[in-house]
Amino acid sequence: QSALTQPASVSGSPGQSITISCTGTSSDVGGYNFVSWYQQHPGKAPKLMIFSVNNRPSGVSNRFSGSKSGNTASLTISGLQAEDEAHYFCSSYTSSDTLVFGGGTKLTVL
Amino acid sequence: EEQLVESGGGSVQPGGSLRLSCAASGFTFNRYNMNWVRQAPGKGLEWISYISSSSITIYYADSVRGRFTISRDNARNTLYLQMNSLRDDDTALYYCARFLPGYGLRGGIDVWGQGTTVTVSS
């Protein structure tokens, strides 16, 4: 199972919006609405930000939103804040009954 | 507080074995599906194994199938990962992690431990 494809890095200024893409295949992202997004700060464990494409767990800011079109899922962060600077990983359930992650995207807040 | 605490990591030579443990607290362990996820130094996340709440359903990533065995003891609120035939590319931080209730592999992972480091080197 190949990793999902994410851009290596994205950046934005405080207050702006950014979008991180996550591209898979019809056997994972495109075939199911089971895409999750995680935020990871250096030296810390990942934190769940979005599940089932566009659902936020309790406690996650509504500045974070998810969507999907075809084989590509997206995470949008609006009103960028300094504390949003982190690595972001997507994941998807697959037709092989496995979980596959993306390679990760480093978000820099300028 | 819902918490997962891993232990058992360390340094081992190629071909060796290790057994990781994950102690759960603050929630009803036997109601949750669990998994192990690893992260090689400076790299991304890699899912490696899943076990359902009752141990009936188990899945592995291709990279570890036949070498690693996941198990759990609900009476002890503990998740395990037996790792055999270890290779250099198994070097990573190993996270114990809990799925959202009722979702299993299809859901998000809402509780993570802090990880235990496994180093495979001659």
Side-chain angles (χ1 to χ4, degrees):
Chain A
Q1 182 70 49
S2 298
L4 305 176
T5 300
Q6 296 181 234
S9 63
V10 299
S11 63
S13 299
Q16 288 185 332
S17 295
I18 63 95
T19 297
I20 299 171
S21 61
C22 170
T23 302
T25 69
S26 58
S27 295
D28 39 64
V29 174
Y32 308 93
N33 289 325
F34 298 125
V35 175
S36 297
W37 288 92
Y38 301 88
Q39 176 191 66
Q40 187 178 36
H41 287 107
K44 300 294 186 181
K47 175 186 177 183
L48 179 65
M49 306 303 285
I50 295 287
F51 67 97
S52 298
V53 176
N54 56 11
N55 291 273
R56 279 188 309 276
S58 174
V60 172
S61 171
N62 60 10
R63 297 186 299 105
F64 292 82
S65 62
S67 62
K68 193 188 84 166
S69 177
N71 294 338
T72 298
S74 298
L75 172 71
T76 298
I77 308 174
S78 59
L80 266 181
Q81 299 179 1
E83 62 258 35
D84 297 333
E85 184 163 297
H87 279 88
Y88 290 84
F89 296 91
C90 61
S91 73
S92 175
Y93 172 78
T94 83
S95 60
S96 302
D97 282 326
T98 63
L99 195 65
V100 62
F101 283 94
T105 299
K106 181 176 182 179
L107 168 61
T108 300
V109 180
L110 302 171
Chain B
E1 179 191 5
E2 299 172 326
Q3 195 172 11
L4 298 169
V5 178
E6 303 92 337
S7 60
S11 294
V12 62
Q13 292 187 333
S17 298
L18 278 176
R19 189 195 197 200
L20 305 184
S21 298
C22 169
S25 61
F27 64 97
T28 306
F29 181 68
N30 63 16
R31 293 183 181 176
Y32 289 85
N33 304 309
M34 301 292 295
N35 67 150
W36 290 95
V37 176
R38 69 185 180 185
Q39 188 168 31
K43 302 296 184 181
L45 301 170
E46 180 188 11
W47 172 83
I48 56 175
S49 187
Y50 162 94
I51 186 167
S52 63
S53 58
S54 59
S55 303
I56 289 176
T57 303
I58 288 174
Y59 300 121
Y60 296 100
D62 289 345
S63 58
V64 305
R65 186 176 294 112
R67 301 187 299 123
F68 290 12
T69 301
I70 191 171
S71 62
R72 63 192 295 164
D73 184 338
N74 286 344
R76 297 177 183 271
N77 293 334
T78 304
L79 178 71
Y80 302 101
L81 185 68
Q82 176 67 44
M83 304 187 297
N84 298 330
S85 303
L86 283 161
R87 310 185 303 217
D88 290 354
D89 62 0
D90 292 319
T91 294
L93 181 65
Y94 284 72
Y95 289 106
C96 165
R98 186 189 84 173
F99 282 101
L100 284 166
Y103 278 85
L105 261 180
R106 299 172 182 235
I109 299 171
D110 68 336
V111 178
W112 299 70
Q114 285 305 302
T116 186
T117 300
V118 172
T119 303
V120 183
S121 174
S122 54

